[in-house]
DNA sequence: AGCACA
């Protein structure tokens, strides 16, 4: 026919649809602007912005076909064209019946993160390491792990979206610090999106799933030994029932480990309530009491197997005590109740730890070299630069802060000063200064 | 000013 244009599909041939196609939109038109435009005619249930090569097209979908018809009809006879930011917008029925995939679940922030651990050794990353990593941002309620085609994945549940977001922002694309992983493990990179979940269902404490909000949750049958007491961790490692009281034994104690040293070391993870030291089996052991199990768990995970002093001296071996509340009869050089302020004859609990140190024995001038945890030398507010993770290689944080006690690892990063701990050292690096923070601090860049 | 990509 003579009336057939060169672009017949642009004539009035589109059948009605709940979805309208908009073009000639201003640059980077927002969803809000689209909703504003469509709202007078009905309920906008979905949108899609920045469509097309020029990203100046969009779709809006109404709840009801009649609403779409109302909008088209109105502007077909209106003297005023549809406008966004003063720019005329042309609209017509879309040739699709619905908008697909505008908001993927991964786009909607939530309190649960979907974490994909990439790397050849990804599946060797234990749930405990994940817990430690994510606990730096807030209380981790639950973790489940599973293997899918995408690889080894975990769902990590926080209290709220804000906490989850801070963890996601800080950790997405980063690698788990190598010092948190078993030796010989290759890099394990985290890819993080939001999950659509809001509350994970964890039936058992097992090597695949944990519910940190419910210590009484039954242990998975597969993880219980004959006594019914012992949890089996990943790779059959035994785990004691968690407790707020840790039992630390000190191996290879070449140098005196004092109450104050222990206090400082363990205070990096949260307030230490009580410490009791005693001799056992020819060595020194100590019970360290935190107010809650979670803090103790984090401290144990961070400190287990590490040495207080450079050179493999005073290696800590930590297990959970059966105690929940220590009875401190008297405050002396071997036991102390820090919850009773007036009876603690100490000066800020971190006396001359440097002065106590064997300065000549070490040969090298370095006793308090870098932290074995190489924690986050990042300053809050300064994004980390290396994608290789936070491990060794990240520039050290300037040691300007006095040592701080009672840093709670559950505090959001940036809300507390750098914590202090004596240099926990296993590899020679950094200066001879007391190193801060045995905790990984994955700052989100948020300063309060 | 002209129909997206999980």
């Amino acid at each position: 026919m003579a009336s057939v244009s060169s672009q017949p599909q642009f004539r009035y041939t589109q059948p009605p649809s709940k979805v309208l196609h908009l073009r000639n939109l201003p640059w980077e038109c927002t969803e809000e602007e689209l909703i504003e435009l469509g709202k007078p005619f009905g309920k906008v249930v979905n949108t899609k912005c920045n469509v097309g090569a020029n990203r100046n097209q969009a779709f809006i979908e109404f709840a009801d076909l009649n609403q779409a018809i109302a909008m088209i009809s109105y502007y077909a006879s209106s003297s005023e064209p549809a406008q966004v930011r003063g720019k005329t917008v042309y609209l017509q029925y879309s040739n699709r019946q619905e908008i697909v995939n505008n908001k993927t679940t991964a786009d909607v922030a939530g309190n649960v993160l979907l974490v994909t651990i990439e790397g050849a050794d990804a599946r060797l990353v234990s749930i405990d390491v994940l817990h430690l990593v994510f606990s730096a941002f807030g209380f981790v309620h639950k973790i489940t792990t599973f293997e899918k085609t995408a690889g080894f994945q975990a769902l990590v549940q926080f209290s709220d979206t804000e906490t989850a977001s801070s963890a996601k922002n800080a950790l997405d694309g980063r690698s788990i610090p190598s010092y948190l992983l078993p030796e010989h493990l290759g890099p394990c990179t985290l890819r993080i999106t939001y999950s659509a979940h809001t509350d994970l269902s964890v039936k058992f404490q097992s090597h695949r799933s944990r519910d940190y909000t419910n210590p009484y949750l039954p242990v998975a049958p597969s993880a219980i030994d004959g006594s019914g007491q012992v949890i089996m961790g990943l790779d059959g490692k035994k785990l004691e029932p968690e407790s707020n009281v840790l039992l630390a034994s000190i191996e290879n104690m070449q140098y005196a480990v004092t109450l104050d040293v222990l206090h400082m070391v363990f205070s990096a993870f949260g307030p230490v309530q009580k410490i009791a030291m005693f001799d056992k089996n020819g060595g020194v052991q100590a019970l360290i009491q935190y107010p809650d199990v979670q803090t103790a768990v984090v401290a144990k995970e961070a400190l287990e197997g590490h040495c207080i002093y450079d050179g493999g001296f005073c290696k800590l071996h930590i297990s959970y005590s059966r105690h929940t509340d220590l009875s401190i009869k008297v405050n002396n050089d071997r036991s102390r109740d820090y919850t009773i302020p007036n009876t603690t004859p100490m000066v800020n609990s971190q006396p001359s730890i440097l002065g106590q140190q064997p300065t000549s024995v070490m040969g090298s001038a370095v006793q308090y070299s870098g932290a074995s945890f190489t924690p986050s030398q990042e300053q809050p507010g300064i994004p980390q630069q290396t994608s290789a993770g936070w491990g060794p290689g990240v520039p050290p944080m300037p040691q300007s802060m006095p040592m701080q006690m009672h840093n709670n690892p559950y505090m959001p990063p940036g809300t507390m000063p750098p914590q202090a701990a004596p240099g926990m050292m296993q590899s020679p690096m950094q200066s001879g200064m007391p190193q801060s923070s045995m905790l990984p601090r994955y700052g989100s860049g948020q300063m309060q």
Side-chain angles (χ1 to χ4, degrees):
Chain A
M1 281 294 279
S3 64
V4 173
S5 84
S6 59
Q7 296 172 305
Q9 68 273 28
F10 295 156
R11 307 274 315 234
Y12 309 116
T13 54
Q14 304 293 354
S17 164
K18 289 185 300 185
V19 182
L20 302 184
H21 176 230
L22 287 69
R23 57 189 194 274
N24 201 38
L25 287 159
W27 176 247
E28 301 212 329
C29 176
T30 65
E31 176 177 31
E32 287 68 33
E33 289 170 315
L34 297 179
I35 293 172
E36 282 301 310
L37 194 64
K39 201 159 58 179
F41 305 96
K43 180 173 172 53
V44 176
V45 295
N46 205 351
T47 64
K48 173 106 185 129
C49 317
N50 302 322
V51 169
N54 296 328
R55 297 170 58 83
N56 59 355
Q57 302 172 50
F59 299 92
I60 65 178
E61 178 178 338
F62 284 100
D64 190 85
L65 177 63
N66 289 330
Q67 298 167 352
I69 293 173
M71 185 167 182
I72 292 292
S73 302
Y74 175 83
Y75 285 113
S77 57
S78 168
S79 56
E80 290 293 316
Q83 290 185 331
V84 171
R85 286 182 236 164
K87 198 160 188 267
T88 296
V89 174
Y90 302 90
L91 41 134
Q92 64 189 152
Y93 297 116
S94 171
N95 55 24
R96 311 277 188 109
Q97 289 306 115
E98 60 182 4
I99 294 175
V100 297
N101 238 0
N102 180 30
K103 295 191 188 66
T104 64
T105 54
D107 290 330
V108 180
N111 65 318
V112 177
L113 299 177
L114 172 62
V115 180
T116 303
I117 299 107
E118 298 177 345
D121 301 317
R123 58 188 45 71
L124 298 178
V125 175
S126 74
I127 200 165
D128 299 302
V129 167
L130 292 175
H131 180 235
L132 178 60
V133 165
F134 284 89
S135 289
F137 302 90
F139 177 54
V140 173
H141 286 226
K142 302 174 185 178
I143 298 181
T144 62
T145 63
F146 47 92
E147 291 210 43
K148 280 258 194 88
T149 48
F152 184 55
Q153 294 188 304
L155 290 164
V156 179
Q157 178 176 338
F158 286 101
S159 304
D160 49 61
T161 300
E162 290 67 36
T163 312
S165 296
S166 68
K168 177 177 181 293
N169 292 338
L171 297 178
D172 188 19
R174 297 273 179 73
S175 296
I176 297 174
S178 57
Y179 55 85
L180 292 179
L181 297 171
E183 296 165 26
H184 73 261
L185 242 62
C188 296
T189 305
L190 304 174
R191 300 290 172 193
I192 304 177
T193 61
Y194 293 106
S195 164
H197 289 93
T198 56
D199 190 22
L200 304 175
S201 170
V202 175
K203 302 287 198 301
F204 299 101
Q205 312 284 18
S206 76
H207 64 292
R208 306 188 57 122
S209 64
R210 296 288 171 82
D211 181 345
Y212 301 96
T213 68
N214 182 5
Y216 303 109
L217 195 68
V219 169
S222 64
I224 303 180
D225 75 354
S227 73
Q229 288 293 316
V230 178
I231 303 173
M232 301 300 282
L234 191 64
D235 299 333
K237 220 167 96 182
K238 286 184 182 174
L239 302 173
E240 313 91 324
E242 292 173 351
S243 165
N244 65 312
V245 178
L246 298 176
L247 173 64
S249 55
I250 301 160
E251 231 178 83
N252 194 17
M253 203 172 79
Q254 298 283 322
Y255 308 124
V257 172
T258 65
L259 194 70
D260 291 321
V261 168
L262 289 175
H263 183 254
M264 175 151 54
V265 168
F266 284 86
S267 290
F269 305 91
V272 170
Q273 292 181 322
K274 302 175 184 178
I275 299 180
M277 298 176 69
F278 50 93
D279 296 310
K280 185 156 183 183
N281 302 332
V284 170
Q285 298 193 353
L287 291 162
I288 297 96
Q289 177 175 336
Y290 288 107
D292 53 73
V293 174
Q294 287 83 8
T295 307
V297 169
V298 173
K300 177 177 183 294
E301 289 172 359
L303 294 175
E304 169 57 31
H306 288 271
C307 302
I308 297 180
Y309 300 128
D310 190 7
F313 300 120
C314 304
K315 184 174 187 178
L316 291 171
H317 179 70
I318 300 176
S319 59
Y320 294 109
S321 168
R322 289 182 300 275
H323 291 88
T324 55
D325 189 22
L326 304 177
S327 169
I328 305 292
K329 302 277 197 304
V330 57
N331 280 342
N332 58 27
D333 65 343
R334 304 214 92 187
S335 65
R336 195 155 301 168
D337 183 344
Y338 298 92
T339 64
I340 306 173
N342 289 337
T343 57
T344 54
M346 51 179 182
V347 184
N348 198 14
S349 81
Q350 41 171 335
S352 50
I353 180 166
L354 287 173
Q356 296 173 354
Q357 290 327 298
T359 49
S360 58
V361 185
M362 303 286 287
S364 140
V366 180
Q367 289 105 30
Y368 277 107
S369 325
S372 57
F373 290 86
T374 326
S376 82
Q377 285 90 352
E378 93 172 307
Q379 293 280 36
I382 302 176
Q384 294 216 345
Q385 48 306 70
T386 55
S387 62
W390 323 267
V394 182
M397 176 160 65
Q399 290 296 322
S400 58
M401 295 296 294
M403 291 186 176
Q404 296 288 335
M405 298 291 106
H406 300 302
N407 285 306
N408 188 325
Y410 295 110
M411 297 276 286
T415 61
M416 53 185 177
Q419 45 293 66
M424 302 287 281
M425 177 71 187
Q426 283 187 332
S427 60
M429 55 182 298
Q430 305 191 10
S431 70
M433 292 297 292
Q435 184 54 257
S436 74
S437 173
M438 303 172 63
L439 265 190
R441 284 164 51 80
Y442 320 83
S444 63
Q446 294 286 328
M447 288 292 285
Q448 61 178 3

